[in-house]
Structure formats: structure tokens, C-alpha cells
Amino acid sequence: MTEPKSRPIDPEILQELGQFVVFWGLLEGIVADLFVATISSDIGNLFVVTKSVSASTISGWIRTTINFRKTPEAAREEVTSMLDEYDRLRGERNALIHGMWGTDKSGPGTVMVQTIRLDRAVPAVDTLITASDLRDLIDATLGLYVRVRDFMGTNGLAHRTSGAGG
């Protein structure tokens, strides 16, 4: 088998990607908990649901179910804001996780990630990624995790507690 003609990906970038994947799991978990809380169900029984559907589906369900509850407008707006941020971050996560990584078009300390989406005018897009970009994404992911966790605590919504400050 012939090796691809590119240099290895910088270990710092791979480490930051790994950290991001770990912290993304925390965020996905608490968003699933938010969904469970919006339908007033037992969190344990709904693992079968939240682990069987996509994150975008759960986000959509929260947007729908929050309207069936007597939710103050400020809380509804906060949930919508958090879900908008979650959807934006999920797009970045999907590009990294499902994109094609290569170093043949990038310099040291960087990596080019190509994504293909047929709903864009230009289907194939190359994005240059650095370890700093991944650290920023980690910070945004953890920030949103804390925001959702604190919202749930403030509003008396049950959720799992976990590591990473949970």
C-alpha cells in the first residue's frame, strides 16, 4: 500500500481534537438531559431515545416541546439562544469529525480539513485548522455546557451530573 503524500498531522492538533471530542460528549449529554426535562420524563428511561437519534433531532424536539410547557418568555428565549449556539457548534464539530483531513495544502502547525455539502454553491470547502482553533472550539463547547447546566439548575430541571465541573 502506498502512503499518502502528506506530512503527519501535528500531535498538538490531534491532542486538541481529542479533547474537543471528549468535551463534546458532555455537551451532547446535557442537551439530551434538557430534552428529557422539557417532556417531564424519567431521565433513565429516555436514554433509549436520546442515544438512538441525532443531536439535531433532539435540538428540534426541545424547540418544539418547550412550547408545550408553561415556560416564561425569558427562559424560552434562553433555551432558543443556547440551542442556536449548540447547532452552530455542532456544524463545526461535524465538519471536523466527518471532514477529510490532509496536510498537503497546509504549513507546519496546521491541517486542512475539506468538507463536502451539496446544499452549498461551492460543495467542497477547505478550512485551515490550528491547535488554537481547536482550543477556541473547546472553550466554546465547555462554555455552552456550563450555560445549559446552570440554566437547568436555576430552573429546577433534573439532569445527570458528570465530570468537567458537572
Side-chain angles (χ1 to χ4, degrees), residues 91-141:
E92 291 188 46
R93 177 251 181 220
N94 286 347
L96 292 173
I97 299 303
H98 300 291
M100 184 170 26
W101 288 59
T103 55
D104 53 324
K105 296 180 186 175
S106 64
T110 66
V111 64
M112 192 68 71
V113 179
Q114 183 181 79
T115 56
I116 298 175
R117 285 191 21 215
L118 300 179
D119 62 341
R120 296 188 290 217
V122 178
V125 173
D126 290 336
T127 305
L128 190 67
I129 302 294
T130 66
S132 178
D133 295 329
L134 293 170
R135 282 190 292 277
D136 290 346
L137 193 53
I138 289 167
D139 290 345
T141 298

Side-chain angles (χ1 to χ4, degrees), residues 2 28 36 44 49 59 104 116 128 159:
T2 305
E28 260 190 1
V36 171
V49 173
S59 178
D104 53 324
I116 298 175
L128 190 67
H159 61 86

Side-chain angles (χ1 to χ4, degrees), residues 25-53:
L26 287 173
L27 179 57
E28 260 190 1
I30 198 127
V31 169
D33 293 353
L34 180 61
F35 164 66
V36 171
T38 65
I39 61 170
S40 300
S41 189
D42 176 55
I43 202 163
N45 291 334
L46 276 179
F47 278 141
V48 70
V49 173
T50 61
K51 294 301 178 188
S52 302
V53 297

